[in-house]
Amino acid sequence: MKRIATLLLLAGLAAPAGAQQNPALATYSVGTTTLTLSALSTGLDTPWEILWGPDGFLWMTERGGRISRVNATTGQVLPLLTVADVTETGESGLLGMALHPDFSANPYVYVVYNYTEGGALKEKLVRFTYSATAGTLASPLTLLGNLPATTTHSGSRLLILPDQTLLMTTGDAQLQPEAQNIGSLNGKILRLNLDGTIPANNPTPGSAVYTLGHRNPQGLVRALSGRLYSSEHGPNNDDEVNLIEPGRNYGWPNVEGFCNLPAEQTFCSANNVREPLVAYTPTLAVAGIAAYQNPAIPQWSNSLLMVSLKAGALTHLQLNTAGDQVTSQSNIWAGTYGRLRAICVSPQGRIYIGTSNRDGRTTPGPTDDRILVLENRAYTPNSVRNGRANALVVWPNPASGSFSIKLPEPATSPLEVRDALGRTVQTVALTGRREGNVDIRQLQAGLYTVHTQLSGTRFTQRLLVQ
């Protein structure tokens, strides 16, 4: 029974997210949708990364070295580990994080951080193993290390792709020419296998370099379309939002922003340079970036949301259908809550934002740093909105080997079982039927969701496979 209770807590089944609403700090209008901003967690110290975990918790890094899980309902911070060899100096410290896509079977947490070796500041990628029972991270394994670093331009985000390769951004560490040196790992986006080896199909055989010519990328995201986007700090001009394409050159230090000067045009033509989607002068100090595609805020379908440090702005960037142009953009706010660094979106369409007011660049407020939540409180999924939350019955739950389903009326679509990343792993012919039994012996243990439709309304239930 203790194991089942632990699994239920891990799966987020014991306390549904959104059951508690914190006092509103402000409201914002997006078309006819009213968004409410509130504070989830306070008293933090420079959150660098916030991720939505497969357990229904937020996962967070703080620059000083602490890795935590954050209850998305209560805001309670549950520390997992303070990494002992993190060096926090200037802009350096504990940075980006990613979770293994098959977390139940491979509970690996990937982090990148700065450390000191031989008196020199460096950067490395390390994999830890999570224990849900103990609530700890242990067994560090360095996958990539000894990267030159400095107190600035060493920022790094991590992103795991559907093919289970990992992207890692690196700054130029103030070694500007190295951004154009294919033999250097600085000023790049790197692509590695999850064991740290180099994928055979990288743009340059034998090299971890996926793209080059970057100054200091601070955001990295993959949209549902499959396109990749990054936000990047410019010097005193030309912060960028880039569409990331394998093998492309992004120009730095020879090109700042667009290829609009004669020397830049020559370089761009000769070096396969991909111009940014957007450039900002004066700079905003662009940071985290997230993709938005959720019915909770329909006006933001097919969009990017970006936060910035100097401007303290939450910026909405509308994409075209192809995802290769920004058609419009606007700030939801700017400067109101200080410096903003991290952003993520939950499956329920809530937006979580981490402030960065204790990073030495401003005077922190009495409750800084904070995780803020921006949400449409009037939105609930169709099943709840129609008063039929229990229309799809799944039992037993947790299940092992098989489970049964029951509906009040015949289904109008097949039944789908999806994994924690939303990928369909099993489809069952259920159309026209009210009951059925589903064989799940081929599924690994973990958290899944079961989906079907009744008269055009989609219904979802969580399923824990043991």
Side-chain angles (χ1 to χ4, degrees):
M1 289 300 294
K2 181 180 291 187
R3 178 173 181 266
I4 291 176
T6 301
L7 287 169
L8 286 172
L9 182 61
L10 175 64
L13 295 174
Q20 170 180 304
Q21 292 185 338
N22 294 315
L25 299 174
T27 58
Y28 298 90
S29 296
V30 178
T32 58
T33 300
T34 298
L35 302 181
T36 301
L37 185 76
S38 61
L40 177 68
S41 302
T42 60
L44 306 175
D45 189 353
T46 317
W48 221 96
E49 186 75 87
I50 302 173
L51 303 174
W52 184 265
D55 54 357
F57 281 68
L58 295 167
W59 288 63
M60 174 182 67
T61 65
E62 292 168 275
R63 199 174 64 183
R66 187 171 71 161
I67 305 172
S68 305
R69 294 165 67 238
V70 181
N71 187 307
T73 302
T74 67
Q76 181 186 13
V77 177
L78 305 171
L80 297 170
L81 175 70
T82 297
V83 184
D85 62 335
V86 164
T87 299
E88 183 185 20
T89 174
E91 297 174 3
S92 297
L94 176 59
L95 308 171
M97 174 173 56
L99 308 182
H100 194 286
D102 187 5
F103 199 67
S104 60
N106 301 289
Y108 298 141
V109 177
Y110 300 81
V111 295
V112 58
Y113 62 90
N114 301 113
Y115 67 106
T116 301
E117 184 175 82
L121 190 64
K122 298 183 179 181
E123 189 165 274
K124 62 180 173 180
L125 171 68
V126 178
R127 190 193 80 187
F128 290 91
T129 301
Y130 171 60
S131 168
T133 303
T136 59
L137 292 174
S139 306
L141 176 65
T142 299
L143 302 180
L144 181 67
N146 203 35
L147 275 69
T150 186
T151 57
T152 57
H153 297 205
S154 295
S156 182
R157 296 279 180 185
L158 301 177
L159 177 67
I160 296 179
L161 301 179
D163 65 359
Q164 297 205 11
T165 60
L166 181 145
L167 298 184
M168 171 180 169
T169 72
T170 64
D172 68 5
Q174 298 288 5
L175 304 170
Q176 295 185 9
E178 296 300 279
Q180 289 295 322
N181 177 6
I182 195 69
S184 167
L185 299 184
N186 287 97
K188 308 296 192 301
I189 296 179
L190 310 177
R191 179 171 177 257
L192 300 167
N193 293 315
L194 294 183
D195 61 0
T197 59
I198 296 173
N201 60 348
N202 266 7
T204 300
S207 170
V209 175
Y210 192 67
T211 60
L212 73 160
H214 298 283
R215 183 176 182 270
N216 193 16
Q218 291 275 301
L220 185 63
V221 70
R222 180 182 183 271
L224 285 179
S225 65
R227 290 191 181 273
L228 301 170
Y229 303 90
S230 178
S231 55
E232 181 170 335
H233 285 212
N236 293 319
N237 52 278
D238 292 302
D239 279 355
E240 299 177 354
V241 175
N242 286 304
L243 174 61
I244 300 301
E245 298 173 339
R248 298 298 295 269
N249 190 325
Y250 289 80
W252 177 257
N254 303 76
V255 180
E256 299 174 359
F258 296 100
C259 304
N260 52 5
L261 299 176
E264 291 178 334
Q265 291 170 350
T266 300
F267 183 89
C268 290
S269 297
N271 291 278
N272 192 29
V273 169
R274 180 62 164 91
E275 289 187 290
L277 299 180
V278 184
Y280 299 95
T281 302
T283 56
L284 312 178
V286 296
I289 194 167
Y292 199 90
Q293 184 73 53
N294 194 289
I297 311 175
Q299 296 87 349
W300 285 355
S301 177
N302 191 36
S303 294
L304 300 176
L305 298 174
M306 181 176 67
V307 291
S308 51
L309 296 161
K310 184 169 70 174
L314 171 62
T315 303
H316 166 247
L317 300 103
Q318 184 64 53
L319 299 170
N320 65 351
T321 302
D324 59 1
Q325 294 180 27
V326 173
T327 58
S328 65
Q329 57 179 310
S330 61
N331 287 341
I332 312 308
W333 66 73
T336 311
Y337 308 101
R339 294 164 64 81
L340 309 176
R341 186 184 299 276
I343 184 170
C344 76
V345 178
S346 77
Q348 298 80 23
R350 298 184 183 94
I351 300 151
Y352 296 86
I353 297 169
T355 71
S356 190
N357 293 320
R358 292 190 176 275
D359 63 5
R361 296 296 185 93
T362 190
T363 301
T367 60
D368 282 325
D369 273 318
R370 300 184 286 179
I371 296 177
L372 305 174
V373 187
L374 186 67
E375 60 186 319
N376 176 6
R377 289 186 172 179
Y379 173 78
T380 52
N382 282 340
S383 58
V384 176
R385 196 162 57 232
N386 287 285
R388 301 162 71 189
N390 296 320
L392 173 58
V393 178
V394 174
W395 85 95
N397 195 0
S400 178
S402 68
F403 68 90
S404 297
I405 61 97
K406 186 175 181 179
L407 297 163
E409 60 187 70
T412 55
S413 75
L415 182 138
E416 294 181 352
V417 180
R418 299 179 186 174
D419 65 13
L421 295 179
R423 300 173 297 193
T424 299
V425 294
Q426 189 169 350
T427 301
V428 180
L430 188 65
T431 304
R433 297 164 54 197
R434 294 178 53 187
E435 299 182 5
N437 188 267
V438 182
D439 186 334
I440 54 170
R441 286 175 295 179
Q442 78 280 12
L443 297 183
Q444 295 182 339
L447 178 64
Y448 296 82
T449 52
V450 181
H451 302 253
T452 192
Q453 289 192 40
L454 299 178
S455 303
T457 300
R458 179 164 290 278
F459 293 89
T460 302
Q461 289 288 1
R462 292 181 179 180
L463 171 69
L464 191 63
V465 176
Q466 294 180 314

